[in-house]
Amino acid sequence: MNLFQEMGLPGPLVKKLAQMGITEPTPIQERAIPFALDGDDVMGLAQTGTGKTAAFGLPLLAQLMEVRGKPAPKSVRSLILAPTRELAGQIRDTLVPLVKDTPIKVGLVVGGASINAQIKRLERGTDVLVATPGRLLDLLDRRALNLDATQFLVLDEADQMLDLGFIHALRKIAGLLPDERQTMLFSATMPKQMEEIAASYLTHPKRVQVSPPGKAADKITQAVHFIAKSEKPNLLIELLDGHRDELALVFGRTKHGSDKLAKRLEAAGFAVAAIHGNKSQGQRDRALKAFRAGEVRVLVATDVAARGLDIPDVKHVYNFDLPNVAENYVHRIGRTARAGRDGAAVAFCAPDEMGELKDIQKVMGISIPVASGRPWADLPDPNAKPKGRGGPRRGKGGGAQPGKSQGGPRRRHRSGPRKKAA
């Protein structure tokens, strides 16, 4: 008898896991599944890549296997909400093999796909519906489904749903659900607003945490290059050239910048694709499929790809632009070193990104080893009165080209919040 059996999962489910080569639960699964099987609300805190989908998916399916009869037309027995189309699709793909040869049907509704086709499929009723909040609300507004009989609710990557501005959508959806239900919330971080969400959605939840927020996988080797912004593309090409046969994920901050960088890499001879919020769902799916298959070796992405995507063979993650939100750095580099593999995470830091780097190191509780250059001097306070010509000047950063002048107009700290990219 393995641990999955000891937890109380039904035999057919344990057998399917064994056929997939899964015989031992991960720490988050081992701690969360027994509580969920007992019907308790669960709040799980763990980084991406720790097996959270199975931690909520297995007990959910186990309980649905005990439900007799088909779901009523347009009804949903269990609802799983995810922040992005890619993560929602991945959750669906994880659950489908587990319900093979059972009456349980898993549905998917996300933006970027035909809403009429989704409405048609929902007419028959759904056992497990995986959805993004925006598309779910569109379907609810069209009365294509109802949540009156929903017994289970799962919020996956809940902190990212808050980051993406889904708080009002979540509140509206929650108001349509029965009070008597089981709710599971999984998140990589626990910001203050998350505590409020948990208090609203969960009833006396069992809290399970397997790694502290901000902690990256142990097998990720990290490094930072201090480099002028204009020199970043050249350094990236040089580093990528050293491992052309390995998969590399490159994170940019903006949609336009990611497209521009992808074209630059393509001109340098790399098999490259880009994904971001302006790409259609078909374009994003094709890019990810080609990347997983190794047909594309370099994938340039905004933070839309930072959460939940499980691409086991990613060996390198490059933070071409540092993220505005420090926690997103942890999620980005979590795309490598999956399932016990080794991985490398390299960050590029321009002069105006020193604040972001300091925030990242504070969240992680470490100093990222320096690969080249030296830390840029602190930028002046934008609110401070300008100094005279004789006042101290900003020191030169180690990422600049040796021997070249640092003259020209000085960069000023951008005031106000930075624009958030999808």
Side-chain angles (χ1 to χ4, degrees):
M1 179 178 288
N2 64 31
L3 279 176
F4 284 118
Q5 287 175 299
E6 293 177 8
M7 290 177 188
L9 288 174
L13 209 47
V14 175
K15 185 177 180 181
K16 282 191 173 65
L17 288 171
Q19 291 170 348
M20 297 163 66
I22 303 171
T23 57
E24 296 296 325
T26 66
I28 188 66
Q29 293 164 8
E30 187 174 352
R31 296 190 61 187
I33 289 174
F35 287 132
L37 287 174
D38 285 342
D40 292 316
D41 284 3
V42 175
M43 181 166 62
L45 297 176
Q47 297 300 332
T48 55
T50 54
K52 286 186 288 185
T53 301
F56 61 74
L58 289 172
L60 174 62
L61 295 179
Q63 294 179 82
L64 286 175
M65 286 178 178
E66 298 177 359
V67 179
R68 302 300 176 191
K70 296 181 179 180
K74 295 188 178 181
S75 70
V76 174
R77 281 177 168 164
S78 58
L79 175 64
I80 301 173
L81 293 176
T84 66
R85 308 168 192 172
E86 285 76 16
L87 179 54
Q90 183 175 293
I91 293 170
R92 188 271 313 272
D93 292 344
T94 299
L95 298 181
V96 165
L98 296 171
V99 300
K100 186 180 179 182
D101 301 323
T102 76
I104 297 174
K105 303 301 180 186
V106 179
L108 175 70
V109 294
V110 298
S114 169
I115 194 168
N116 291 327
Q118 293 174 359
I119 290 172
K120 187 72 175 174
R121 288 194 296 270
L122 290 169
E123 287 177 356
R124 299 188 294 268
T126 312
D127 294 292
V128 182
L129 183 64
V130 187
T132 50
R135 176 50 60 95
L136 182 66
L137 284 178
D138 289 342
L139 291 162
L140 287 166
D141 288 343
R142 297 185 184 211
R143 298 185 179 179
L145 77 160
N146 67 74
L147 304 177
D148 298 343
T150 304
Q151 301 166 284
F152 306 96
L153 171 66
V154 178
L155 304 177
D156 193 23
E157 300 290 2
D159 51 349
Q160 192 187 16
M161 283 198 267
L162 294 184
D163 290 343
L164 295 176
F166 287 134
I167 181 64
H168 298 298
L170 293 178
R171 286 174 178 155
K172 186 173 181 179
I173 292 166
L176 300 173
L177 292 163
D179 292 334
E180 291 296 322
R181 66 172 190 269
Q182 182 181 21
T183 303
M184 290 181 272
L185 181 154
F186 284 79
S187 182
T189 61
M190 200 67 185
K192 183 178 179 181
Q193 196 173 22
M194 186 62 66
E195 296 282 3
E196 299 170 5
I197 293 294
S200 302
Y201 285 67
L202 307 175
T203 303
H204 306 300
K206 302 297 184 181
R207 179 169 175 150
V208 294
Q209 181 173 343
V210 297
S211 61
K215 187 180 186 302
D218 294 332
K219 293 193 174 184
I220 300 176
T221 302
Q222 299 181 64
V224 59
H225 293 266
F226 293 98
I227 183 167
K229 185 166 290 186
S230 61
E231 290 302 310
K232 283 186 178 185
N234 292 332
L235 177 58
L236 179 62
I237 290 170
E238 178 185 334
L239 296 175
L240 288 173
D241 199 41
H243 52 78
R244 281 183 174 262
D245 293 333
E246 296 174 330
L247 298 188
L249 185 54
V250 180
F251 283 102
R253 182 175 291 167
T254 68
K255 303 165 190 174
H256 173 72
S258 296
D259 279 337
K260 184 178 178 181
L261 179 59
K263 290 177 182 177
R264 178 82 176 265
L265 295 177
E266 187 175 26
F270 293 96
V272 61
I275 61 171
H276 51 66
N278 278 357
K279 298 283 187 181
S280 71
Q281 189 60 43
Q283 289 174 315
R284 288 157 71 165
D285 289 343
R286 286 191 294 272
L288 287 171
K289 184 178 180 181
F291 188 53
R292 283 192 175 98
E295 298 165 6
V296 163
R297 298 288 181 175
V298 182
L299 184 66
V300 183
T302 56
D303 279 317
V304 71
R307 295 289 193 98
L309 291 184
D310 189 8
I311 306 172
D313 294 329
V314 173
K315 183 73 174 178
H316 307 270
V317 170
Y318 289 96
N319 279 280
F320 185 82
D321 296 316
L322 294 182
N324 293 329
V325 179
E327 287 82 359
N328 284 352
Y329 173 85
V330 181
H331 306 314
R332 287 180 176 188
I333 70 174
R335 299 305 95 217
T336 188
R338 309 286 286 183
R341 294 175 173 85
D342 294 329
V346 177
F348 295 172
C349 182
D352 62 348
E353 293 176 303
M354 277 302 295
E356 283 88 343
L357 181 63
K358 289 179 179 179
D359 290 343
I360 288 166
Q361 295 186 138
K362 182 178 179 181
V363 164
M364 299 190 69
I366 64 167
S367 291
I368 299 173
V370 178
S372 71
R374 61 184 177 86
W376 303 93
D378 290 340
L379 292 174
D381 183 345
N383 298 316
K385 294 181 179 179
K387 296 181 181 292
R389 288 177 178 253
R393 299 186 65 183
R394 187 183 69 194
K396 296 179 183 179
Q401 296 180 22
K404 295 231 176 165
S405 169
Q406 297 281 311
R410 299 186 193 179
R411 296 184 67 94
R412 292 183 63 87
H413 221 18
R414 260 163 73 169
S415 59
R418 297 177 180 225
K419 186 177 180 181
K420 198 170 183 180

